[in-house]
Amino acid sequence: MLAGKIMLESSAETYRVEDTMNRIARSYGISNSQSYVTPTGITFAIDQAEPASMMRIEKRTTDLNKIAEVNSISRNIATGNLSITEAITSLRKLEKQKMLYSNSLMILIAAIASGCFTIMFGGLWADFLPSLVAGGIGFIGFLWFDKLVEIRFISEFVAALIVGLLSVLFIETGLGVEQDKIIIGAVMPLVPGLHITNAVRDLLAGHLLAGVSKGVEAVLTAFAIGAGIAVVLGIF
């Protein structure tokens, strides 16, 4: 359950979480384990007739490195290289581990990606720097509000609002040329690409509840981003 918790909090696919939990259980002699995972909770029992344990997942982020580390630990368990004590110790250490990339590095990457997306979508090189700045500051706003409020959609709305305001500022001051290209590039780091991918993969794997819920989450995120931009364009 600890392995499943780490994976689910790191935005792993639901079917991958269940499969990893069952493989770990089989490796330690539990041949008929029952796991049921949704984006917000884990239910696990060692047998159909045994009492089930439940764990609630309250906050999720994106950390593919932790997912890869749990998979590595799972493979070592399957090959018999880790005892139960060693596996639990490794997982607890991984759970406490901070994200692989710092906030400053993520902001830098988001800013550079914003400028590159603007060019990729047909923007002018004159809009590269405005989009870079707008995307970076918007992502700063996203990270800041994400710590202040528990509702992620508000953070995405505020970030999109900041991007919209900065794009208008750049156009009004003559520093930018095409406002739509600046906006499109700057909001791309906020787009829920991983959630959409996971929703489709869970649906294809037969996890309809998890797939639909992740799809709805992705739609709400897209709506929050669109609403933030629409508010700015509606005012200005």
Side-chain angles (χ1 to χ4, degrees):
M1 290 187 73
L2 179 57
K5 175 177 180 286
I6 295 172
M7 295 183 72
L8 206 54
E9 287 180 339
S10 302
S11 293
E13 307 94 316
T14 301
Y15 75 88
R16 185 190 296 271
V17 175
E18 291 186 352
D19 181 64
T20 299
M21 292 172 64
N22 290 332
R23 286 176 182 271
I24 291 175
R26 283 197 299 271
S27 299
Y28 290 128
I30 303 172
S31 59
N32 195 30
S33 62
Q34 303 293 317
S35 61
Y36 178 70
V37 176
T38 69
T40 56
I42 298 173
T43 303
F44 182 80
I46 61 175
D47 194 86
Q48 291 179 344
E50 295 293 328
S53 299
M54 182 176 179
M55 182 182 294
R56 179 161 177 79
I57 306 300
E58 297 181 352
K59 191 173 181 63
R60 285 169 291 145
T61 184
T62 301
D63 194 338
L64 301 183
N65 178 63
K66 281 192 175 182
I67 297 174
E69 289 293 330
V70 173
N71 286 335
S72 178
I73 292 172
S74 175
R75 284 192 291 270
N76 285 330
I77 291 173
T79 56
N81 294 328
L82 284 178
S83 65
I84 293 178
T85 303
E86 292 172 333
I88 291 176
T89 301
S90 299
L91 288 171
R92 285 176 177 168
K93 182 179 179 181
L94 180 61
E95 184 185 23
K96 296 178 182 178
Q97 181 179 305
K98 294 183 179 179
M99 292 189 66
L100 182 62
Y101 303 112
S102 63
N103 286 344
S104 57
L105 182 58
M106 288 193 294
I107 292 168
L108 176 62
I109 293 171
I112 296 174
S114 298
C116 293
F117 274 119
T118 294
I119 301 302
M120 189 182 77
F121 289 128
L124 302 174
W125 280 103
D127 292 327
F128 178 86
L129 189 59
S131 180
L132 183 148
V133 174
I137 296 177
F139 200 76
I140 291 173
F142 168 74
L143 293 177
W144 185 52
F145 269 86
D146 195 43
K147 293 180 180 179
L148 294 179
V149 295
E150 295 183 358
I151 305 175
R152 190 179 182 89
F153 306 114
I154 295 179
S155 305
E156 289 153 349
F157 172 81
V158 171
L161 196 69
I162 293 172
V163 168
L165 290 171
L166 289 174
S167 66
V168 170
L169 177 63
F170 285 130
I171 295 299
E172 293 295 326
T173 56
L175 296 176
V177 180
E178 296 179 294
Q179 183 175 348
D180 58 333
K181 298 298 191 299
I182 295 174
I183 292 175
I184 291 172
V187 300
M188 283 303 293
L190 305 174
V191 172
L194 181 63
H195 294 300
I196 296 173
T197 303
N198 285 351
V200 173
R201 295 182 71 173
D202 279 333
L203 286 172
L204 293 176
H207 292 261
L208 302 181
L209 178 61
V212 171
S213 62
K214 288 180 180 180
V216 171
E217 182 181 6
V219 170
L220 289 175
T221 299
F223 176 79
I225 296 172
I229 298 299
V231 168
V232 175
L233 297 182
I235 295 175
F236 298 98

